[in-house]
Amino acid sequence: MNWANAGFTAFGTHVLWTDLVGNIAALATVLLAMRKSMWTWPVQFTGAVLLFIASVNAHITGNALKQAMFAGLAIYGWWAWRRGTQDGKQLAVRPAEWWERMLLILFMILGTAVVGVLFYVTGLSWGAHEPLPKGAFLVAADAYIFVGSAMATWAQGRALVDFWIVWVAVDLVGVPLAFSSGLVVSGAVYGVFFVLVLVGFAKWLREYRTAGINVAVAQ
């Protein structure tokens, strides 16, 4: 058996090691991000590579492209956080500037439209093979999740508290979409992500406010 297809059977379902370990790494990425650990990015890169292999084997091209994007953004995130922690400094988290928020919103809207058309025309989204109007909705949701994931990871690399909010917006679509499509395992993973993201947002926001209070006291 090819190593990429190696796995085990659970409850009558063949589970790929690449899929299982990749999803565990994805969950670990969120936990590491809460702690602002530099290990966030190597673990994300590793998880993305494993899930890319699993997606290619399953012929899910759209998801494979998303994992390739995550791998690239992991390299950017590692570089950005490394710059922010030079000379032993703690990574400073902050809310986005107004222009950064406008950029996030603009890219979310325009990016979803452009990627949605691309996914539909090329058939990269599994929803493109469904009859209208259901197919159009599924493609739009797929594109929204793809673009939202990219923008969240970009904002995470910039240490913006807002990146957690973007993930919440992605999960609000991803969780019900997965369950309604019969992807129970994916829906459960998205659900766990949703809870972790809320905890991470509260932690980063509290840390930013505490740092602001300490600066004010020091002055």
Side-chain angles (χ1 to χ4, degrees), residues 15-31 43-55 60 63 66-67 70 183-193 196:
V15 179
L16 294 174
W17 283 115
T18 50
D19 189 31
L20 178 62
V21 178
N23 274 299
I24 291 173
L27 288 172
T29 297
V30 182
L31 295 171
V43 171
Q44 176 173 314
F45 182 85
T46 301
V49 170
L50 291 172
L51 290 175
F52 174 83
I53 295 170
S55 298
I60 308 175
N63 195 59
K66 183 167 70 174
Q67 299 308 325
F70 278 147
L183 303 175
V184 180
V185 175
S186 295
V189 171
Y190 265 117
V192 174
F193 267 125
L196 292 177

Side-chain angles (χ1 to χ4, degrees), residues 76-100:
Y76 161 75
W78 180 84
W79 170 81
W81 281 23
R82 188 168 179 271
R83 268 199 352 171
T85 54
Q86 284 181 341
D87 302 321
K89 293 185 297 184
Q90 286 287 324
L91 182 69
V93 301
R94 62 178 177 85
E97 301 286 347
W98 70 268
W99 65 268
E100 289 172 316

Side-chain angles (χ1 to χ4, degrees), residues 66 119 125-127 130 134-146 169-188 190-191:
K66 183 167 70 174
F119 276 4
S125 171
W126 54 280
E130 295 289 330
K134 179 183 178 182
F137 169 76
L138 292 175
V139 171
D142 208 8
Y144 172 81
I145 293 171
F146 183 94
V170 170
D171 287 343
L172 285 174
V173 173
V175 173
L177 177 66
F179 278 115
S180 65
S181 303
L183 303 175
V184 180
V185 175
S186 295
Y190 265 117

